[in-house]
Amino acid sequence: MDNLSRRRVLSLGAALGLVSATGTTGAWAWSPAGSVAGSGTGTDPEYVWDDEVDRLLASLIDSGGVPAVNSAMASWVNNDDPLPSGLPADLTAYLQKVNRLPSWADPAKLARAADFNRRKDTYLFVLYGLGSGIMSTVIPREARSVYWSAGGADMKDRAAKTFTFGYDLAQLKGFEPTGQFVVTANKTRLVHAGVRHLLPRSPHWSAGADQKIPISNADILVTFHSLGTYVRRKLLDWKVPFSAADQDAFLHSWQVALHLLGVQDQYIPGTWADAEAQSGQVLTPILSPTTEGIELAEDLLGLTAQVDLGVTRGFLNEFVRYVLSDEIGDWLGLKRDYASAALIRTVWPAFILFREGLSPVAPAAFYVFDQFVRALAMAFLNNGASGTTTPIVIPTGNRPS
């Protein structure tokens, strides 16, 4: 990496709040000593997938058994629901092994994380929706995989299902028996396995892919850093009160989530310092625009325009620039609205101060921002209809030509 590219990476990392963006690329250099396992083989997660479930889903897709499995899983929602009847015996045996929390999961930390999510949901909706959601469109592999998979053809449905994952993760009892996140994570893991089998068959995906099989452990880690690591750092940058105990609990919920998605424990960061070091290697240096990502970003921002946010498209564009960077905004061709930019940069910090009880004076545009956040959440939650469960189904093909 030349000096100009390194400066760009560091500048972009700073804009995103990823202060440990080192600008390193190339061979895997993150030590497993910093993982929840505390040790490991050091194998590059770029070449680690999810072998057992990948074999199961490949067989299921090739035999035409996916529709029956999707039908059987429709009523499987809560963590304490019995496994659906009618599943193939080998799939049932697999789910019996993985449909549980890891032995190192800490119920107290998970409960605290859920309470934190409830207390700070205003900022989380913004950062997950307009921050992480749009950042995903400048992660080249993720953008291409989403675009050319079946879900890319209906971004309203795709966005709702993606938001469901975060919504279930953030629920007060999401990891408890009456919650839904363990089931949501396992269904998502099945979907990932299906996509790994199907996407290599797409000539459109293959034409631009730099890997033979998508969604490796490394790719899932990149997605985590565009979500958890990014959000944690932006909250600190915005000076939102965020105690050490809350930060630790927030990380723990993501550690458990990564485990449930099939990431090996040797790759899951054990502390935020470890997470930021890993993010600096695997996320920030790879951010770049693609034709597919630009179209997906437009689809996502168009989705929010279908719900009455009480603001203009120019305001949305400027909020994306505010939570990500002008560089990413330029990559995506987001037209400037300098009046909205000035309003956001002036009012949003005051909005946070007032909401956190750190200022007795509500900013003049408080109501506009409050309604904007509420509507933004609904734009991504189940097609803007309700908070009910969005079905997650295993695909049977790729994006139609």
Side-chain angles (χ1 to χ4, degrees), residues 37-55:
S39 63
T41 63
T43 304
D44 190 339
E46 173 80 6
Y47 306 105
V48 175
W49 290 275
D50 206 353
D51 294 343
E52 182 178 3
V53 70
D54 287 352
R55 287 192 295 269

Side-chain angles (χ1 to χ4, degrees), residues 204-244:
H204 307 288
W205 178 81
S206 297
D210 62 350
Q211 56 185 170
K212 292 184 178 180
I213 304 173
I215 320 181
S216 66
N217 267 207
D219 295 328
I220 298 175
L221 289 169
V222 167
T223 300
F224 155 63
H225 292 302
S226 74
L227 292 159
T229 307
Y230 160 75
V231 166
R232 180 250 183 181
R233 178 50 57 184
K234 292 300 288 187
L235 291 176
L236 293 176
D237 287 348
W238 285 351
K239 296 180 172 55
V240 173
F242 198 0
S243 70

Side-chain angles (χ1 to χ4, degrees), residues 313-357:
R313 173 57 191 271
F315 184 94
L316 280 175
N317 289 351
E318 291 298 337
F319 220 112
V320 170
R321 288 175 174 272
Y322 180 67
V323 297
L324 292 178
S325 69
D326 282 333
E327 183 173 9
I328 289 178
D330 291 343
W331 287 348
L332 298 174
L334 302 183
K335 294 181 179 179
R336 298 305 308 260
D337 181 337
Y338 292 103
S340 291
L343 177 68
I344 292 166
R345 282 164 172 75
T346 301
V347 175
W348 185 250
F351 175 84
I352 292 175
L353 287 173
F354 181 74
R355 281 194 62 90
E356 295 300 320

Side-chain angles (χ1 to χ4, degrees), residues 16-280:
L16 296 175
L18 302 173
V19 296
S20 294
T22 62
T24 58
T25 55
W28 176 249
W30 190 80
S31 171
S35 70
V36 295
S39 63
T41 63
T43 304
D44 190 339
E46 173 80 6
Y47 306 105
V48 175
W49 290 275
D50 206 353
D51 294 343
E52 182 178 3
V53 70
D54 287 352
R55 287 192 295 269
L56 289 173
L57 264 293
S59 175
L60 196 62
I61 290 170
D62 292 345
S63 67
V66 168
V69 168
N70 281 333
S71 178
M73 292 199 307
S75 61
W76 184 39
V77 176
N78 292 331
N79 298 335
D80 61 356
D81 286 344
L83 290 176
S85 60
L87 296 180
D90 52 2
L91 181 58
T92 296
Y94 163 77
L95 289 173
Q96 286 172 338
K97 291 189 296 183
V98 300
N99 189 43
R100 64 187 67 182
L101 297 178
S103 59
W104 45 263
D106 185 329
K109 287 185 178 180
L110 293 175
R112 184 172 188 126
D115 182 63
F116 168 77
N117 291 329
R118 176 189 60 81
R119 288 182 278 119
K120 307 301 180 184
D121 60 358
T122 296
Y123 318 117
L124 296 179
F125 283 140
V126 170
L127 289 172
Y128 283 143
L130 289 183
S132 303
I134 302 302
M135 192 195 302
S136 71
T137 70
V138 293
I139 299 173
R141 285 183 175 178
E142 185 166 348
R144 291 191 181 105
S145 293
V146 168
Y147 187 89
W148 291 115
S149 65
D154 185 351
M155 282 308 293
K156 179 181 286 189
D157 181 69
R158 176 65 164 72
K161 289 173 180 175
T162 300
F163 199 89
T164 293
F165 183 90
Y167 185 80
D168 290 347
L169 170 65
Q171 284 297 287
L172 278 176
K173 297 185 178 181
F175 292 89
E176 296 181 18
T178 56
Q180 299 180 1
F181 183 74
V182 178
V183 171
T184 295
N186 275 294
K187 287 183 177 180
T188 302
R189 191 170 178 177
L190 296 178
V191 170
H192 286 172
V195 171
R196 279 191 286 268
H197 185 60
L198 290 166
L199 261 188
R201 300 177 175 182
S202 165
H204 307 288
W205 178 81
S206 297
D210 62 350
Q211 56 185 170
K212 292 184 178 180
I213 304 173
I215 320 181
S216 66
N217 267 207
D219 295 328
I220 298 175
L221 289 169
V222 167
T223 300
F224 155 63
H225 292 302
S226 74
L227 292 159
T229 307
Y230 160 75
V231 166
R232 180 250 183 181
R233 178 50 57 184
K234 292 300 288 187
L235 291 176
L236 293 176
D237 287 348
W238 285 351
K239 296 180 172 55
V240 173
F242 198 0
S243 70
D246 282 343
Q247 291 181 52
D248 186 44
F250 184 64
L251 174 60
H252 190 65
S253 67
W254 277 106
Q255 290 168 333
V256 175
L258 288 170
H259 175 93
L260 292 173
L261 287 175
V263 176
Q264 294 182 9
D265 288 356
Q266 66 169 318
Y267 303 123
I268 301 174
T271 68
W272 279 119
D274 296 314
E276 289 190 354
Q278 190 183 84
S279 177

